[in-house]
Amino acid sequence: MPEPERRRPARWRPWLRALHRDIGYVAVGLTFVYALSGLAVNHIADWDPNFHNYEARHQVAVPLPEDDRAAADTVLAALAITVPPTEVYRSDARELSILLDGSTLHVDLDSGVVAEDGQRPRLLLRIANWLHLNRGKQAWTFVADSYAVFLLFLAASGMFMLPGRKGLLGRGGLLVLLGIAVPVVYVTLSGGP
């Protein structure tokens, strides 16, 4: 009795796996940018993902000059701040406000106490958010669209990498349906559009 002919493995699967792997490696950096930024922006009500807000207290010698600009210059010199203020004004009769790029100094003219409040950029997250929200427009749109095509390819090619029960016709197919069900169920239960 002749031996049954063995089924030959699909010759395209190794090529698909290699392409899937290489495109996946290219997508890693962009995935980190979009994932971190997405997490940060999703919780924007809880914190500012672009800036770290801070408060500080300083003491300068009194009496300060009566002229607002001269008083501001004295405070800035005492605090070793060399950038010029964007604005100087009286908040009330005995408080001088000095606006700087990224911070404000509130000077109590009687006591010399300086309350500083300001923001420092969260460098990496701010850049990631800038990219994620496509502030770079045309040039970044090309990169973002290419990344979207990469993700579509990775999702589609991933479905065909394994044959049989673990692939699309078995467990893989059930997991694909589960992934599709998550947004459908959410929109249905939340009363979305």
Side-chain angles (χ1 to χ4, degrees), residues 80-139:
I81 297 173
T82 57
V83 294
T86 56
E87 190 176 350
V88 175
Y89 64 91
R90 292 265 181 155
S91 310
D92 63 38
R94 298 309 301 159
E95 183 177 293
L96 183 68
S97 290
I98 306 169
L99 275 61
L100 302 165
D101 187 28
S103 67
T104 303
L105 305 175
H106 305 280
V107 184
D108 183 315
L109 296 171
D110 292 328
S111 67
V113 171
V114 180
E116 178 181 6
D117 56 67
Q119 296 181 321
R120 289 188 188 98
R122 298 179 195 273
L123 185 62
L124 294 179
L125 266 181
R126 188 169 180 214
I127 291 169
N129 293 338
W130 188 83
L131 292 170
H132 191 149
L133 299 173
N134 198 8
R135 302 279 193 239
K137 298 302 173 204
Q138 287 185 359

Side-chain angles (χ1 to χ4, degrees), residues 158-174:
M159 291 190 300
F160 298 102
M161 289 180 68
L162 292 176
R165 293 179 311 192
K166 293 183 181 178
L168 189 58
L169 298 178
R171 188 178 84 182
L174 293 175

Side-chain angles (χ1 to χ4, degrees), residues 8-179:
R8 293 163 92 186
R11 292 180 185 254
W12 53 269
R13 278 204 170 89
W15 289 99
L16 182 67
R17 274 196 289 278
L19 197 55
H20 181 93
R21 178 198 61 221
D22 292 346
I23 288 177
Y25 283 141
V26 171
V28 165
L30 289 168
T31 301
F32 280 126
V33 167
Y34 278 95
L36 290 173
S37 174
L39 287 170
V41 172
N42 279 347
H43 299 280
I44 203 162
D46 303 320
W47 71 311
D48 184 343
N50 293 316
F51 294 96
H52 167 71
N53 296 316
Y54 71 91
E55 293 180 359
R57 288 223 178 271
H58 310 282
Q59 180 70 50
V60 295
V62 287
L64 291 166
E66 284 298 319
D67 176 68
D68 292 348
R69 191 60 198 212
D73 289 342
T74 302
V75 169
L76 294 174
L79 298 178
I81 297 173
T82 57
V83 294
T86 56
E87 190 176 350
V88 175
Y89 64 91
R90 292 265 181 155
S91 310
D92 63 38
R94 298 309 301 159
E95 183 177 293
L96 183 68
S97 290
I98 306 169
L99 275 61
L100 302 165
D101 187 28
S103 67
T104 303
L105 305 175
H106 305 280
V107 184
D108 183 315
L109 296 171
D110 292 328
S111 67
V113 171
V114 180
E116 178 181 6
D117 56 67
Q119 296 181 321
R120 289 188 188 98
R122 298 179 195 273
L123 185 62
L124 294 179
L125 266 181
R126 188 169 180 214
I127 291 169
N129 293 338
W130 188 83
L131 292 170
H132 191 149
L133 299 173
N134 198 8
R135 302 279 193 239
K137 298 302 173 204
Q138 287 185 359
W140 189 253
T141 298
F142 173 77
V143 174
D145 288 349
S146 299
Y147 176 59
V149 169
F150 281 1
L151 290 180
L152 288 170
F153 172 78
L154 291 171
S157 65
M159 291 190 300
F160 298 102
M161 289 180 68
L162 292 176
R165 293 179 311 192
K166 293 183 181 178
L168 189 58
L169 298 178
R171 188 178 84 182
L174 293 175
L175 293 172
V176 168
L177 290 175
L178 176 64

